[in-house]
Every structure is written in C-alpha cells, then in structure tokens.
Amino acid sequence: MNNNFSRRTFLKRATAAGLLGALTATGLSDPVKAAEQRGEKLGTLIDLTRCDGCPNSPTPLCVAACRQHNQSRFPEPQKPLKYYWPQKKVEDWSDKRELTTRLTPYNWTFVDKVKVEHNGLQHEIHVPRRCMHCDNPTCLKLCPFSAISKESTGAVSIDDEVCFGGAKCRDVCPWGIPQRQAGVGLYLQIAPDLAGGGVMYKCDLCSDLLAVGKKPACIQACPREALTIGPREEIQALARKKAQDMGGYVYGDLENGGTSTLYISSVPFEKIDQAIKADKKQKEDNSPGRPGMPVKVDNYLESEKGLFYSALLAPFAGAAAAGITAYRTLKGDQSNGTSPNPVNPGEEEEHDHNNP
Ligand code: SF4
Ligand code: SF4
C-alpha cells in the first residue's frame, strides 16, 4: 500500500467527516431553527452520487412522500374546460394524475434518469427535480398578479388563490418549473368567459412543514440521505467541500444568479444536460415538465432585455400590488411577498413549455 496515498486519503476523509460532524452538530440536525436563529435562509443539497432512484419502489420514495403530503392541494378543475384568451391551448393534467415521471400540477417533484459517459465509464445518474427556490426568482419578479412570494425560509411559493395561470413564471424560469392546470382559480370568479389559463403549481419546499420546524416530506423520506437541508451557507460549504473531495461538480450555485438548491455530482452537469436533451429528442418529448440542467444559465432579470422589461413595467407595480393587497385583506390573509413587477395579461408570452 502506498503510505502517502493512505495518509492523504485518511486526512481527506477525516476533514470531510469533521466538517460533516460540525455541520450536523450545528445547522443540519435542526435546520429550520438554526437558519432562523442565524437570520439565514435554508438551502438544500441533492447528492447525485447517493441517489439511486429507489430501484425497489414503484415510485421513488421522495416523490411518493411529496404526493402524499401535498395531495389535498392538488387542483380539482371545473369541467368542461373552455379556451380562454390569450391561451392558445388548454392545459389539462387532471386525467394524468398518476404520472410521476415529470413535473405536473399533480406531481411537484420527480426523479429523472440518464446515462452519461465520463472518463471512459458509463454512469447511470438519477436526478431529483423540483423548483430550485432561486435567490432572485425571475418567476416572482415577473408575475403580473403578485401571486409569488419568497418566504423568510427561502422557499418560493405560488398563491393558488391569486394566480391567473398566465404562465409568465414558467416562461421566465430557466427550468420551466411551474405547471398549469386549467379550470381552476380566481379567473373563474372574475372573467370566466374572457381570460385566464388556470393556476400554476410547483414545490413550495413544504412550507407548512417548515413552519412547524419539520423538514420537507421528500427529505424526510429519502432512505439514502441523498437530500440534506440546512442553513444556506452551511449547505453551500458542504456542497463545495464534498464536490472538491470527490473531484466532482456543483450545480445551482451560479445558475439563475444563485439558488438555494445545490446539486453535487461526480460527472459534469454539462453532460447531464446533454443527456437529458438527447433523451427527450430521441423520445420526441416536447411537453413541459422535464427540465434540463443548463450550466451557468443567466438570470433573465440581469439581462438587457430583462432590465428593460422590468423598467418598462415598474409604473404598473404600485397599482397591481395595491389591488392584490386589497384582495388579500378581503380574504383575511395578511401574508405578503416581495415586490412584484406586474404586466398586462395581454402582454404575456407563450412558448413551447405549453403543450402537455
Ligand atoms: S432522492 Fe432518495 S428517495 Fe428520492 S429517489 Fe433518490 S434515493 Fe430515492
Ligand atoms: S426555479 Fe423557476 S419557479 Fe423555482 S424559484 Fe427559480 S425561477 Fe421560480
């Protein structure tokens, strides 16, 4: 045995174990409380070297736990569904509720699976996917109806009582995360024959569980500890350290200007992204809900177009915020999101995420 190698390996592992031990002793054992005490948001780490997709379960356990926990919030559309301006298509997932292999209004997390060649080896990679809970969420800033908020935990949530289903959030999300169900929502009470597309749905990090100091359902359910939650800075340090130790890669740190969901992998994320794209192409899968992993993707709000768009919309912000505040007051809800940048419904864009 090579003594230098043994000593180096031992020291490396001891350092990693020490760091992990320190983190467990501080923020990871009681993450919600620790983050709150430090005035920090939460972060999650998804370790692709640990996730095996739960091969012995019909549905990955994280996905099953998410569905079980959130099922009372899944939409019950009024049928028959109508075509509404400006939508060109009605998005209806209500007959595909059992689908667990992509994001839908009835499935807020899924585990993608791709084969990737790296350094002469074939890797089968399982990638749990859901909202990244971005630091500067484009979906929130460009929602015309102030329906999206970022909570003190860092979770980004859509208020299903305010959402009009225009899908602007999906258009400006680099991963096209929120998914639309027609035949539900506020528009049915306001302009049922004229406008509205339904409601957008996505993961909210199980905000109800976080509110009582518990971890999100997916994290509680994972038998392989592939999912970890803790104060964001600790999660960031842990992700970087683990990636460094394995000679691997981090995702989510820079993407969209930074997110609170960090992935680590022993293969480059560019290759995972290419593999997802190739698999979708081969299966002629053009439907929304199976996001890629574009590396270092820019935050739209920081682009020239995004800045221009935000500036153009700024004058509308006060009026829309006042309207939404009045509506929330009427329904007895005092909760408040961060500042919205509303647009006229007619200005919403359609793109190719819109074909279930
Ligand atoms: S994250 Fe955990 S629960 Fe989810 S598929 Fe991977 S191993 Fe299973
Ligand atoms: S991943 Fe998409 S939906 Fe989630 S917070 Fe970021 S921009 Fe919004």
Side-chain angles (χ1 to χ4, degrees):
M1 183 189 290
N2 178 326
N3 283 341
N4 283 340
F5 175 78
S6 303
R7 193 163 53 245
R8 214 168 45 237
T9 305
F10 171 77
L11 286 172
K12 215 156 123 185
R13 286 185 184 160
T15 309
L19 177 71
L20 190 54
L23 292 172
T24 304
T26 54
L28 300 185
S29 54
D30 194 346
V32 184
K33 199 167 161 196
E36 201 174 275
Q37 279 171 352
R38 292 178 212 172
E40 261 186 57
K41 298 192 182 341
L42 287 160
T44 48
L45 173 59
I46 301 180
D47 185 344
L48 301 188
T49 65
R50 295 199 66 84
C51 177
D52 63 359
C54 294
N56 300 319
S57 304
T59 305
L61 295 176
C62 53
V63 177
C66 173
R67 290 167 66 87
Q68 167 81 22
H69 181 70
N70 292 302
Q71 60 183 333
S72 64
R73 298 166 61 202
F74 292 163
E76 290 301 338
Q78 286 180 24
K79 294 195 175 176
L81 302 170
K82 298 180 190 172
Y83 285 84
Y84 302 98
W85 178 88
Q87 315 305 333
K88 297 181 191 86
K89 288 194 169 116
V90 165
E91 291 186 52
D92 178 21
W93 294 91
S94 61
D95 296 331
K96 300 174 192 162
R97 291 171 196 239
E98 300 314 313
L99 197 61
T100 56
T101 50
R102 62 194 317 117
L103 299 174
T104 79
Y106 302 88
N107 198 64
W108 301 351
T109 183
F110 81 105
V111 180
D112 210 337
K113 185 168 103 174
V114 282
K115 288 197 170 68
V116 176
E117 187 277 333
H118 184 53
N119 286 343
L121 295 172
Q122 280 292 333
H123 299 259
E124 188 172 78
I125 310 282
H126 298 89
V127 194
R129 301 306 304 270
R130 57 156 172 74
C131 174
M132 303 286 283
H133 300 284
C134 302
D135 296 340
N136 185 18
T138 39
C139 58
L140 181 157
K141 292 284 172 62
L142 294 170
C143 170
F145 303 104
S146 315
I148 304 181
S149 56
K150 187 163 179 73
E151 295 162 24
S152 57
T153 56
V156 176
S157 305
I158 299 175
D159 185 338
D160 62 359
E161 293 189 35
V162 174
C163 176
F164 244 72
K168 189 72 186 171
C169 52
R170 183 171 57 190
D171 292 344
V172 297
C173 169
W175 302 278
I177 296 288
Q179 301 304 326
R180 175 163 55 192
Q181 175 60 47
V184 280
L186 186 59
Y187 83 97
L188 292 171
Q189 294 163 42
I190 294 182
D193 295 321
L194 295 174
V199 171
M200 307 303 294
Y201 293 89
K202 70 169 193 71
C203 156
D204 71 346
L205 214 58
C206 289
S207 288
D208 56 338
L209 291 178
L210 295 181
V212 292
K214 292 186 179 165
K215 296 177 186 177
C218 57
I219 296 176
Q220 290 187 41
C222 178
R224 292 180 54 80
E225 297 183 350
L227 312 172
T228 311
I229 190 163
R232 196 182 178 290
E233 282 181 21
E234 288 192 17
I235 287 294
Q236 200 171 36
L238 182 61
R240 288 173 181 169
K241 177 75 185 149
K242 284 182 128 186
Q244 189 184 22
D245 287 350
M246 71 168 85
Y249 307 86
V250 178
Y251 186 82
D253 218 359
L254 304 173
E255 285 70 22
N256 207 23
T259 81
S260 53
T261 303
L262 303 184
Y263 288 84
I264 53 171
S265 165
S266 57
V267 306
F269 286 96
E270 286 91 345
K271 290 195 172 183
I272 296 177
D273 185 47
Q274 283 161 12
I276 294 171
K277 283 196 183 107
D279 195 56
K280 286 176 72 170
K281 191 172 176 193
Q282 196 243 325
K283 291 175 178 155
E284 297 182 8
D285 178 358
N286 299 312
S287 298
R290 190 182 175 196
M293 298 199 100
V295 173
K296 292 186 189 155
V297 60
D298 289 333
N299 187 300
Y300 176 70
L301 294 165
E302 287 156 17
S303 70
E304 218 169 274
K305 195 175 164 196
L307 281 170
F308 174 75
Y309 196 38
S310 301
L312 193 70
L313 301 174
F316 298 99
I324 295 300
T325 304
Y327 173 74
R328 284 182 170 146
T329 306
L330 271 177
K331 75 180 174 101
D333 179 1
Q334 298 305 310
S335 67
N336 220 340
T338 43
S339 170
N341 278 336
V343 297
N344 294 324
E347 291 174 342
E348 290 172 22
E349 294 165 8
E350 290 292 329
H351 70 34
D352 62 4
H353 290 309
N354 288 344
N355 302 303

